[in-house]
Amino acid sequence: MSDSPRDSWKLSLPCTRAEAEALEGDIAAFALLDSPPVLMTSEASSDDGDAWQLDAYFEGRPNAALVRLVQTLVPSARGRKPVLEKLPQADWVTMSQQGLEPVTAGRFFVRNSNADAVPSGYKDFLIGAGLAFGTGQHETTAGCLAMLDRTRRLGHRFGNIADIGTGTGLLAFAALHLWPRAYGTASDIDPVSVEVTADNADKNGVPLGIAPGRLALFTAAGVDHPGIVTRGPYDLVIANILAGPLIELAPSLSGVLEEGGTLILAGLLDTQAARVLAAYRAQGLRLADRIDNGAWPTLRLRKRPAIGWHRPRRWPHGRNGEAPGYGSW
């Protein structure tokens, strides 16, 4: 019987403690992969503090090139034969994320367990380990949370917000916390992510619906859904995806953004930022702010306002994200 595309596989390699510590967070080598593996490291021996093991979990059997890519992450294992095994049917992504440390970004505290104590003064989100990307552990998600918090502290106001490629819904929840009177829209190409977002919304007290202060959910590739288009234009769009899709989506993301509106982009490497920025500058946007979280930058862009009486508007004057005193064209 042939393997199912959803079968789970594990690749194991020995590594050193230093190599294991270097693998914390997002891995630059996986940035262009559609379905990157989940990495876990653990001590291989209680008697040897430098003897560690790398386990890489895959959805589907990895090909030889992907195995070699993982091997490059642990040079000390050069010449050692990797152990590749098919796993029993199980939610290995959830298992791999159990026990992740909480993340603090801006005013937000993101945890995946009720056992984690919430510090005072932070907005708490419980995002359980699961099938969807975006738990808050990833540098890209944490960078977006920090950028949203900074944008609010600078005095920006938004009335219509969209989170494209929402994953777990975390960024949409954070944006609605910062701007509670706004209309909220969240979408993902993966229907599982949309289901996860709905479940997380219930756990975190985020109301769903089409009214102000509520979050409307859509399953769509990018903004390719009539519900997403008709709810626009948006004065804040968030897209934490990957560099390739961000470049491809530049015309459509810019198209649903209100003139003068704000676009927050993440999921790209610092070496890819110039190409991503070039794609959006061609659509009339300019870089307004940047946060670098390791090798993963978060970009805040602004769309150049049109000049003239015929400029289309949905929101009242002053509600398009402009922060008086912080510059404009």
Side-chain angles (χ1 to χ4, degrees):
M1 181 180 295
S2 61
D3 295 327
S4 164
R6 302 288 291 186
D7 284 337
S8 302
W9 288 74
K10 181 174 78 169
L11 173 70
S12 299
L13 282 165
C15 66
T16 66
R17 179 175 180 174
E19 289 170 336
E21 292 175 346
L23 294 176
E24 294 181 0
D26 286 340
I27 306 301
F30 297 159
L32 298 180
L33 297 179
D34 292 332
S35 183
V38 173
L39 303 183
M40 292 186 66
T41 55
S42 58
E43 287 187 89
S45 170
S46 58
D47 298 327
D48 184 355
D50 198 43
W52 282 60
Q53 178 171 307
L54 167 65
D55 294 315
Y57 294 85
F58 301 85
E59 188 175 301
R61 180 168 185 160
N63 58 30
L66 191 49
V67 170
R68 287 194 297 270
L69 179 60
V70 174
Q71 288 178 294
T72 64
L73 302 176
V74 285
S76 66
R78 186 178 293 111
R80 301 286 294 272
K81 184 178 180 179
V83 177
L84 183 63
E85 60 179 315
K86 183 179 177 181
L87 300 177
Q89 289 294 328
D91 183 359
W92 57 267
V93 177
T94 296
M95 293 189 297
S96 71
Q97 292 180 357
Q98 296 291 349
L100 289 176
E101 292 297 320
V103 167
T104 302
R107 70 188 72 191
F108 301 109
F109 181 82
V110 184
R111 58 195 172 93
N112 74 348
S113 169
N114 284 315
D116 296 315
V118 181
S120 62
Y122 287 89
K123 171 58 182 176
D124 166 50
F125 286 116
L126 175 62
I127 306 292
L131 292 174
F133 177 87
T135 62
Q137 295 290 332
H138 302 270
E139 279 85 346
T140 55
T141 309
C144 285
L145 290 171
M147 183 64 80
L148 287 168
D149 180 70
R150 177 188 289 182
T151 304
R152 180 64 181 86
R153 293 182 189 279
L154 289 174
H156 292 241
R157 297 175 294 168
F158 302 107
N160 197 16
I161 299 168
D163 178 18
I164 307 302
T166 193
T168 59
L170 174 59
L171 298 180
F173 303 163
L176 281 179
H177 171 73
L178 296 173
W179 297 281
R181 297 181 181 179
Y183 291 84
T185 300
S187 72
D188 202 284
I189 192 172
D190 184 0
V192 173
S193 290
V194 177
E195 294 174 5
V196 168
T197 296
D199 184 55
N200 284 335
D202 180 62
K203 292 177 180 177
N204 288 276
V206 178
L208 300 180
I210 61 173
R214 294 178 177 269
L215 185 64
L217 301 180
F218 300 94
T219 300
V223 298
D224 188 16
H225 192 289
I228 299 174
V229 175
T230 57
R231 286 173 66 83
Y234 303 93
D235 49 9
L236 173 62
V237 174
I238 308 159
N240 179 19
I241 316 176
L242 290 171
L246 286 177
I247 293 172
E248 183 179 349
L249 290 171
S252 57
L253 290 180
S254 304
V256 299
L257 183 65
E258 180 180 274
E259 290 165 350
T262 293
L263 177 63
I264 293 177
L265 302 178
L268 59 144
L269 288 163
D270 52 7
T271 56
Q272 300 166 330
R275 286 189 291 135
V276 173
L277 281 171
Y280 285 87
R281 286 193 178 109
Q283 302 298 323
L285 281 75
R286 56 98 171 170
L287 181 64
D289 197 3
R290 173 172 173 158
I291 292 176
D292 287 287
N293 197 354
W296 303 87
T298 300
L299 310 175
R300 178 167 65 85
L301 298 90
R302 292 290 308 281
K303 186 174 182 180
R304 185 180 299 276
I307 299 174
W309 62 269
H310 57 283
R311 174 185 174 188
R313 276 192 172 276
R314 175 175 178 137
W315 306 106
H317 181 69
R319 293 294 301 276
N320 67 341
E322 183 67 57
Y326 289 94
S328 60
W329 294 277

